[in-house]
């Protein structure tokens, strides 16, 4: 099975992708992770991508296509964060036939609430938030280190990212509806319920 996870920033699609890859034993391909890796390694591609990422903008299609030119697996993978534009979706259609597109849907209100509530652990990287709060404010349950708020977890930045999503990524909904492979799940439910719902949708197209 070849799966695309679609969703606004902070919709939880990254979390779902990780849980699903474990359950299905699939490969998880996150263009956000691949790009952050390029930035960390200070590659040419990373240097080009950095300024767009910092502003919450999409990196140019040409750059993403170059990133994925290294190849996708033959089968059994989940795309998380790709495609994000019609140009990318058309390119993907040229190289692979996807079986299902799952849209993890959340309202903008919930996304804004999640953004201002998200906290990260300085030492172990654990993530807390609206749905999984720490037992004690600003202290990591796991290692008792201090929690911090990412500088880009603010309303101005998330509203900008939501606008980018609306303008550039949401046209994919009709694109995939026309292809007959689009399905939507409620991303505001508890994390485990969403996983089960997505697994049911995947079963239907197997
Ligand atoms: P993510 O971790 O998926 O939220 O991605 C982080 C950032 O990487 C995004 O805000 C974009 O700047 C960039 N990015 C990731 N995937 C894509 C993509 N498919 N097209 C364009 N930019 C992307």
């Amino acid at each position: 099975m070849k799966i695309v996870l679609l969703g606004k920033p902070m919709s939880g699609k990254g979390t779902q992708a990780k849980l699903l890859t474990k359950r299905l034993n699939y490969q998880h391909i996150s263009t956000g992770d691949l790009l952050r890796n390029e930035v960390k390694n200070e590659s040419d591609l990373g240097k080009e991508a950095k300024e767009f990422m910092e502003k919450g903008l999409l990196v140019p299609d040409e750059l993403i296509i170059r990133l994925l030119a290294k190849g996708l697996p033959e089968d059994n993978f989940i795309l998380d964060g790709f495609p994000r534009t019609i140009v990318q979706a058309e390119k993907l259609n040229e190289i692979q036939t996807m079986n299902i597109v799952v849209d993890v849907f959340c309202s903008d209100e919930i996304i804004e609430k999640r953004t201002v509530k998200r906290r990260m652990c300085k030492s172990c990287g654990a993530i807390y938030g609206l749905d999984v709060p720490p037992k004690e404010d600003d202290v990591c349950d796991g290692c008792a280190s201090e929690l911090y708020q990412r500088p880009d977890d603010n309303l101005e930045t998330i509203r900008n990212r939501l606008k980018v999503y609306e303008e550039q990524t949401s046209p994919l909904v009709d694109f995939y509806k026309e292809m007959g492979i689009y399905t939507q799940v409620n991303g505001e439910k508890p994390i485990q319920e969403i996983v089960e719902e997505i697994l049911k949708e995947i079963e239907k197209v197997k």
Side-chain angles (χ1 to χ4, degrees), residues 18 81 106 124 201:
K18 284 194 192 105
C106 274
C124 74
E201 293 299 329

Side-chain angles (χ1 to χ4, degrees), residues 18-188:
K18 284 194 192 105
L19 293 170
L20 286 165
T21 42
K22 256 195 212 152
R23 285 282 287 269
L24 297 165
N25 202 17
Y26 277 18
Q27 216 170 309
H28 176 197
I29 301 163
S30 153
T31 42
D33 286 350
L34 292 174
L35 284 170
R36 278 182 286 274
N37 206 30
E38 298 281 338
V39 172
K40 204 171 96 196
N41 293 335
E42 298 182 349
S43 68
D44 288 345
L45 202 147
K47 282 180 196 153
E48 280 181 62
K50 195 170 177 224
E51 59 173 308
F52 294 96
M53 295 173 74
E54 281 175 353
K55 289 184 193 144
L57 298 173
L58 295 187
V59 308
D61 289 327
E62 165 273 320
L63 210 146
I64 288 288
I65 290 161
R66 236 197 302 153
L67 181 77
L68 287 175
K70 290 164 195 167
L72 290 174
E74 286 271 293
D75 203 359
N76 296 342
F77 62 89
I78 299 180
L79 290 180
D80 161 15
F82 177 85
R84 260 174 154 111
T85 64
I86 295 284
V87 171
Q88 292 179 15
E90 282 168 346
K91 188 73 195 175
L92 178 61
N93 276 352
E94 283 172 26
I95 50 180
Q96 279 283 12
T97 307
M98 302 307 289
N99 302 105
I100 183 168
V101 175
V102 183
D103 185 359
V104 182
F105 183 80
C106 274
S107 67
D108 288 3
E109 285 131 275
I110 288 285
I111 284 174
E112 288 186 6
K113 276 191 195 148
R114 283 183 183 171
T115 302
V116 293
K117 289 272 179 194
R118 182 158 73 170
R119 296 289 182 278
M120 336 284 288
C121 175
K122 276 185 180 159
S123 91
C124 74
I127 304 172
Y128 299 90
L130 191 63
D131 307 295
V132 192
K135 289 194 183 101
E136 196 183 325
D137 275 357
D138 295 327
V139 178
C140 179
D141 290 357
C143 69
S145 299
E146 200 185 332
L147 301 180
Y148 76 102
Q149 187 171 29
R150 262 171 51 167
D152 53 344
D153 279 348
N154 63 67
L155 284 180
E156 194 191 337
T157 309
I158 193 68
R159 283 181 185 152
N160 192 34
R161 293 184 73 197
L162 287 170
K163 193 163 158 258
V164 169
Y165 183 87
E166 187 54 35
E167 288 169 2
Q168 296 183 261
T169 308
S170 68
L172 292 180
V173 171
D174 284 339
F175 181 93
Y176 284 122
K177 273 185 184 166
E178 267 168 44
M179 280 179 67
I181 58 170
Y182 175 86
T183 183
Q184 191 184 85
V185 297
N186 180 352
E188 296 180 6

